[in-house]
Amino acid sequence: MPVRSANPIRARSLIRDNLEKQAGCLNLIHSRMPNIKVFSGTSHPDLAQRIVDRLGIDLGKVVTKKFSNLETCVEIGESVRGEDVYIVQSGSGEINDNLMELLIMINACKIASASRVTAVIPCFPYARQDKKDKLSGSEDKDESKILAKKNNDWKFRSRAPISAKLVANMLSVAGADHIITMDLHASQIQGFFDIPVDNLYAEPAVLKWIKENIPEWKNSIIVSPDAGGAKRVTSIADRLNVEFALIHKERKKANEVASMVLVGDVKDKIAILVDDMADTCGTIVHAADRLVEAGATKVYAILTHGIFSGPAISRINNACFEAVVVTNTIPQDGHMRDCPKIQCIDVSMMFAEAVRRTHNGESVSYLFSNVPY
């Protein structure tokens, strides 16, 4: 039988206090955010380590290996049940293997009952294949015109894939709840997803680097190496209060530029080429030569994603750049050893702050125009 208190008023008070404490505990459990776990893929462990160092936490335990038939195997080494999980994997190096590894890691965490899984993808893979605008690879332009005339179809229908949309679908199906990336090649890629996408900008870090490392930056001109980057360079030029120019390029085929036309006056000015990525570097090297011919005193190149494949490093070494500045969305240690002109901006603090704000349910819009210190 329950023990009766000698003082009924005292007993009722104790019961009420106990019920309030229990209700408070329940409310605390329901209202608190899940704990945070950050895991790293194999594409860029240095960036992931920098992110967790800034957050003041340890990197999650994960083992990634390949079977003899080259299938990827991922083992998450700690519990993620009810956790807020962030997986850092950049689209660099062996892109297809790294993408598959990211998908498997997302799925492994999701089916292990993670509360939310966020893919932190500093350099989004396949971002350049974002629209259906190319002619068929087996037909040149003249042949396409003849075929189109015969078929009464003057739109030159393309059979090129929209691979960025495919990657978006794969990430969603794998179980990603949120994407954090930087400087997408085309902003419309955000619309390929049915989940939230935070597209951070390297622009604040670029502005900071220009002001700290180019003493004569007030006599500079910001140049876009193609028409597609006009919006990017006008934004930087406005914030620096300097002029801008752009270069119109025509391609005969992929990775080969046929001609360049400079629009703007760069005579006796420091030209700063700004672009979102550089792969084989044919475009920026041709652009630098064109700027020197037009009278630019110095030429810098600032790129968010320095892919540097094929002959890129030798081209930069032989070009007239004062410096080629890239962020560490892609590992740059090897490139910097091979080319002394390459300098690196650390953007780990921007990703760390984006992770912290996302975890705490805060806005990340502050990062669009500021560098967190």
Side-chain angles (χ1 to χ4, degrees):
M1 293 181 64
V3 178
R4 294 180 180 270
S5 172
N7 187 343
I9 297 176
R10 171 70 174 165
R12 285 197 297 270
S13 177
L14 290 172
I15 292 171
R16 185 171 61 251
D17 290 343
N18 287 334
L19 289 173
E20 287 176 355
K21 286 180 181 178
Q22 291 175 9
C25 290
L26 288 172
N27 290 334
L28 179 63
I29 290 171
H30 288 306
S31 64
R32 77 175 180 87
M33 289 192 66
N35 293 327
I36 186 171
K37 290 284 178 69
V38 179
F39 296 98
S40 173
T42 57
S43 67
H44 203 345
D46 176 65
L47 179 62
Q49 187 62 54
R50 288 171 181 264
I51 290 172
V52 295
D53 287 346
R54 185 171 179 88
L55 292 172
I57 61 176
D58 294 326
L59 205 57
K61 297 175 183 177
V62 59
V63 177
T64 305
K65 58 187 178 183
K66 290 185 184 296
F67 293 123
S68 59
N69 65 347
L70 300 183
E71 284 185 1
T72 299
C73 175
V74 174
E75 296 176 2
I76 306 298
E78 53 192 89
S79 174
V80 296
R81 183 177 295 274
E83 306 282 359
D84 190 12
V85 175
Y86 295 82
I87 301 172
V88 182
Q89 182 81 309
S90 193
S92 60
E94 298 290 337
I95 292 179
N96 295 331
D97 285 349
N98 290 336
L99 175 59
M100 195 66 205
E101 180 180 292
L102 173 61
L103 297 172
I104 294 173
M105 290 180 72
I106 291 171
N107 189 250
C109 292
K110 199 66 180 178
I111 63 177
S113 300
S115 174
R116 178 175 62 178
V117 180
T118 299
V120 181
I121 312 174
C123 180
F124 193 84
Y126 291 90
R128 285 177 286 183
Q129 299 183 41
D130 62 321
K131 55 186 177 292
K132 199 176 176 96
D133 67 342
K134 296 181 178 66
L135 296 172
S136 170
S138 61
E139 301 160 3
D140 63 22
K141 189 176 288 187
D142 294 334
E143 290 175 347
S144 294
K145 287 182 179 179
I146 294 169
L147 290 171
K149 189 173 181 179
K150 286 181 179 178
N151 298 327
N152 293 319
D153 181 2
W154 290 94
K155 294 183 180 180
F156 309 148
R157 298 193 184 277
S158 166
R159 291 186 289 278
I162 307 177
S163 303
K165 169 63 174 173
L166 176 61
V167 172
N169 290 341
M170 292 164 65
L171 289 166
S172 297
V173 170
D177 299 298
H178 184 204
I179 304 293
I180 299 176
T181 186
M182 177 171 279
D183 274 6
L184 285 171
H185 186 65
S187 295
Q188 69 262 21
I189 293 175
Q190 294 176 85
F192 294 171
F193 290 88
D194 294 324
I195 58 177
V197 177
D198 286 324
N199 181 29
L200 305 178
Y201 300 128
E203 180 181 309
V206 168
L207 291 169
K208 182 172 180 286
W209 189 92
I210 290 173
K211 291 178 180 179
E212 292 179 354
N213 294 276
I214 304 179
E216 310 90 354
W217 64 267
K218 292 184 179 179
N219 186 40
S220 65
I221 183 167
I222 312 300
V223 185
S224 172
D226 55 32
K231 186 176 180 180
R232 185 182 299 108
V233 299
T234 53
S235 176
I236 293 175
D238 287 344
R239 293 187 64 179
L240 290 174
N241 196 24
V242 298
E243 296 179 356
F244 75 93
L246 63 87
I247 294 174
H248 173 66
K249 64 182 179 183
E250 294 180 352
R251 293 181 184 271
K252 286 185 177 178
K253 58 182 179 179
N255 293 330
E256 285 190 19
V257 178
S259 64
M260 284 192 163
V261 179
L262 175 63
V263 182
D265 183 16
V266 300
K267 188 173 176 60
D268 299 327
K269 292 183 179 179
I270 297 172
I272 304 174
L273 279 163
V274 177
D275 206 355
D276 64 325
M277 66 172 59
D279 190 353
T280 58
C281 292
T283 297
I284 62 167
V285 168
H286 280 95
D289 292 340
R290 183 72 186 84
L291 291 169
V292 171
E293 290 173 7
T297 56
K298 294 180 181 178
V299 180
Y300 292 84
I302 302 181
L303 317 159
T304 305
H305 310 299
I307 301 172
F308 302 144
S309 65
I313 298 299
S314 62
R315 285 175 174 175
I316 293 173
N317 280 325
N318 296 326
C320 56
F321 292 112
E322 294 292 318
V324 175
V325 184
V326 295
T327 70
N328 61 340
T329 57
I330 292 173
Q332 299 295 342
D333 291 341
H335 298 148
M336 293 172 70
R337 284 195 301 269
D338 297 335
C339 180
K341 293 182 181 180
I342 295 177
Q343 300 182 29
C344 189
I345 300 174
D346 183 15
V347 292
S348 61
M349 77 289 290
M350 302 187 74
F351 284 103
E353 183 66 9
V355 168
R356 189 194 69 78
R357 286 171 176 261
T358 301
H359 175 66
N360 292 329
E362 301 173 16
S363 170
V364 299
S365 58
Y366 172 83
L367 299 175
F368 296 156
S369 55
N370 298 276
V371 178
Y373 291 95

